[in-house]
Amino acid sequence: MKHTVKIVALFVALLTVSSCKEGYLDINKNPNDATSSTPDLILSAALNATAAGMINPNEIGHFWAGQWSPSGSVSGFNPEKTYDLPSNFRTGVWTQAYDNLSDYDVIEQAATTSKQPAFVGIAKVMKAFVFQRLVDTYGNVPYTEALKGTAILRPKYDDAQAIYDDLSKQLDAAVTNLKTPLTAENPSPGASDIVFAGDMGKWVRFANTLKLRLMLRQTNIAAKEATIKAEITKAAGNGGFLAAGENALASPGYLKTAGKQNPFYENYGFTAAGTLSGNHDFYTNADFFITFLSNNVDPRLPRFATLNNAGKYVGVPFGDGNDAYLYAKTSGFGPAILKGFDQKQVLMQSAESFFLQAEAAQRGYLTGSAKTLFESGVTESFKFLEVPDAVKAAAAYAADAVPIRNFDASPNKLEAIITQKWVALGAFEGFEAWTEYRRTGFPKVPISTRAVGTKQPARFLYPNQELGTNEANVKAQGTISQFDTKIFWMK
């Protein structure tokens, strides 16, 4: 049976995930107060904040992409399950993003003044990374007048498409900066770079991969076809994309100390003392995800999930939450998901890079074999999850003449690519999985069993606190529906 203490624990947990609070390597206390420091001293904390800030949007993404579900051991999650979103729903997605963006803006300005293009480039890449997520969550958001501190307290909202167009330009500028030779005057970020340890080539490829993601997001817009192809071609020839083994992972030096462990591990796994975290039993794998992996005899299943107390793989139909789905009766997060207090936090997997390239090739935007790129994506996913004998296992999986697994056997190649990307994103990049579902409709995620209607959410509502501090600009966006006010790139 469910207990009151678990409801209280859930409330505390959700505050922890959704709030913008001080934490490990925290910088800002107030996003309107500028941070004053040198770029190298700010960068580690800014990158760490980005990684930690992805937990909130990824969690809801995993829910709505059919990968995760609350277990029957917890009450609550009513907005997530019903899609009836209150105005204060997951406000941390907004506040943490703008707080984090202000840090990168300080880095960019300081590094521009001190003529350190390596830092300028990284700051531009990460601003594009965070701003794209904001647009993909809310549509129109403050952009050109954002990050101005007390100079502009009520920034206007920019058109989402226009923001995307400028982010593409910013990524080009970032690559130019990142390609500037390192010298005493333009020092390597070195240890302050907790993602690529100062490897500018990887930052270039990460920037280009983000641009590839940005361009492919717009494939439903016929008028953008020529631009998409031209920009992807340019990125491919200007340093290329993240390659095999080039996962973008944040590792600031997590410690087995409360508040300094990997935030994902500490939130969903175990405390520094080795006991179950307060949230551990609240989250589990969704029935849709477990069933897909089981039906496809996927070797990644035991890496993603654990056996339940009856020795079976069992997920929860999203929306359900009765005692039949108590945590112990379901398949919780597996050994590849909860590795340890010092596991690295995912920004982007190399598997995603290959699936993006596969889609681009299939659509005729890139030269090369879509099949080969697809199979490389599968292999990278197996490797990242540490499937035993990963390369051989991935080859056998992709060679089996079964649609979705085997490229040639799949009548809809794009569905195969997106679905395999969805598997790879499981437990790591839930926001991207949900976003790609909104763009493509793949895979065919079932609606919540407690949905208030027949539609799945298309977006978030603007936070109530934004309405309180920037009312005129929020109201200028018109009446917003989480179901019918679609992000510009949706069908």
Side-chain angles (χ1 to χ4, degrees):
M1 298 294 291
K2 306 171 188 69
H3 304 289
T4 302
V5 67
K6 291 195 172 183
I7 297 175
V8 174
L10 171 63
F11 178 72
V12 174
L14 290 179
L15 284 178
T16 299
V17 172
S18 301
S19 299
C20 187
K21 67 186 186 83
E22 288 187 68
Y24 191 31
L25 296 180
D26 184 69
I27 306 175
N28 285 337
K29 294 179 176 64
N30 182 347
N32 288 327
D33 291 338
T35 301
S36 178
S37 187
T38 57
D40 60 308
L41 294 179
I42 306 174
L43 183 60
S44 295
L47 291 170
N48 184 62
T50 304
M54 290 180 68
I55 292 177
N56 196 351
N58 277 343
E59 180 176 292
I60 190 62
H62 285 307
F63 285 162
W64 290 347
Q67 296 164 325
W68 288 9
S69 176
S71 75
S73 295
V74 62
S75 298
F77 291 104
N78 290 322
E80 290 86 348
K81 293 178 179 179
T82 63
Y83 309 144
D84 186 13
L85 308 184
S87 57
N88 63 346
F89 181 73
R90 302 269 177 167
T91 56
V93 173
W94 178 283
T95 57
Q96 289 174 345
Y98 277 107
D99 186 17
N100 192 203
L101 284 165
S102 69
D103 298 332
Y104 290 123
D105 195 57
V106 169
I107 294 172
E108 181 178 357
Q109 292 183 42
T112 299
T113 299
S114 59
K115 298 181 180 180
Q116 296 177 305
F119 285 95
V120 172
I122 292 175
K124 284 182 175 293
V125 170
M126 295 311 299
K127 286 172 74 174
F129 182 90
V130 179
F131 264 122
Q132 182 182 14
R133 189 171 72 236
L134 276 169
V135 171
D136 292 348
T137 309
Y138 298 98
N140 299 344
V141 296
Y143 181 69
T144 54
E145 291 185 356
L147 314 180
K148 303 298 183 183
T150 56
I152 302 180
L153 292 176
R154 297 175 181 82
K156 71 175 183 178
Y157 281 53
D158 292 272
D159 175 73
Q161 174 72 81
I163 296 173
Y164 255 54
D165 291 344
D166 192 65
L167 292 180
S168 176
K169 296 176 183 177
Q170 294 301 317
L171 286 168
D172 286 346
V175 169
T176 298
N177 279 281
L178 293 167
K179 284 188 167 186
T180 303
L182 297 175
T183 62
E185 291 72 30
N186 177 36
S188 168
S192 66
D193 172 10
I194 63 170
V195 178
F196 293 126
D199 188 326
M200 294 296 101
K202 289 181 181 178
W203 273 107
V204 167
R205 292 189 286 279
F206 183 38
N208 286 331
T209 308
L210 288 177
K211 184 167 185 177
L212 178 59
R213 178 198 276 179
L214 195 79
M215 289 297 120
L216 289 177
R217 194 78 88 228
Q218 302 174 76
T219 53
N220 291 324
I221 306 172
K224 298 290 289 186
E225 181 85 8
T227 298
I228 293 170
K229 183 173 183 178
E231 292 301 316
I232 290 176
T233 299
K234 181 167 66 174
N238 196 25
F241 310 106
L242 288 176
E246 292 186 342
N247 300 286
L249 310 172
S251 182
Y254 297 117
L255 305 173
K256 198 169 186 179
T257 305
K260 296 184 179 181
Q261 298 191 112
N262 171 284
F264 182 98
Y265 182 82
E266 190 163 51
N267 192 61
Y268 302 112
F270 301 89
T271 68
T275 60
L276 298 181
S277 73
N279 291 346
H280 184 279
D281 290 0
F282 297 163
Y283 301 88
T284 191
N285 285 288
D287 174 70
F288 185 66
F289 192 54
I290 294 295
T291 299
F292 178 89
L293 295 172
S294 297
N295 288 347
N296 280 278
V297 196
D298 198 311
R300 290 170 288 187
L301 176 56
R303 304 300 298 161
F304 273 120
T306 60
L307 295 168
N308 70 357
N309 58 4
K312 298 179 179 179
Y313 287 108
V314 176
V316 179
F318 186 70
D320 285 6
N322 55 41
D323 287 355
Y325 296 109
L326 293 174
Y327 179 82
K329 297 180 181 180
T330 70
S331 294
F333 300 149
I337 313 307
L338 296 173
K339 294 182 179 181
F341 73 90
D342 58 349
Q343 67 187 60
K344 298 179 180 181
Q345 189 71 16
V346 178
L347 297 180
M348 177 184 278
Q349 297 174 72
S350 59
E352 183 185 355
S353 173
F354 281 104
F355 287 125
L356 289 167
Q357 292 174 67
E359 179 181 352
Q362 181 63 28
R363 291 181 181 274
Y365 301 146
L366 274 179
T367 58
S369 167
K371 176 182 177 180
T372 298
L373 291 164
F374 168 86
E375 291 176 347
S376 294
V378 173
T379 299
E380 287 301 295
S381 174
F382 274 56
K383 287 165 56 180
F384 190 76
L385 288 164
E386 298 177 355
V387 173
D389 203 357
V391 175
K392 184 177 180 180
Y397 174 86
D400 199 0
V402 177
I404 300 300
R405 290 173 53 172
N406 180 281
F407 193 79
D408 291 333
S410 300
N412 187 329
K413 311 300 186 190
L414 289 175
E415 180 179 12
I417 293 167
I418 300 300
T419 303
Q420 282 299 331
K421 178 160 65 171
W422 171 78
V423 175
L425 298 175
F428 304 113
E429 297 178 76
F431 183 82
E432 277 303 302
W434 174 53
T435 300
E436 288 294 73
Y437 167 72
R438 288 181 289 159
R439 175 175 73 97
T440 67
F442 299 132
K444 297 177 176 61
V445 179
I447 197 167
S448 170
T449 61
R450 289 186 53 200
V452 294
T454 60
K455 298 178 181 179
Q456 295 178 328
R459 55 166 292 153
F460 282 20
L461 302 176
Y462 291 117
N464 191 50
Q465 66 191 72
E466 179 70 2
L467 183 63
T469 59
N470 197 10
E471 181 178 12
N473 286 312
V474 174
K475 288 187 174 180
Q477 307 313 305
T479 301
I480 303 297
S481 163
Q482 68 265 41
F483 302 111
D484 300 318
T485 310
K486 297 181 177 180
I487 310 299
F488 77 96
W489 41 255
M490 295 177 66
K491 289 183 179 180

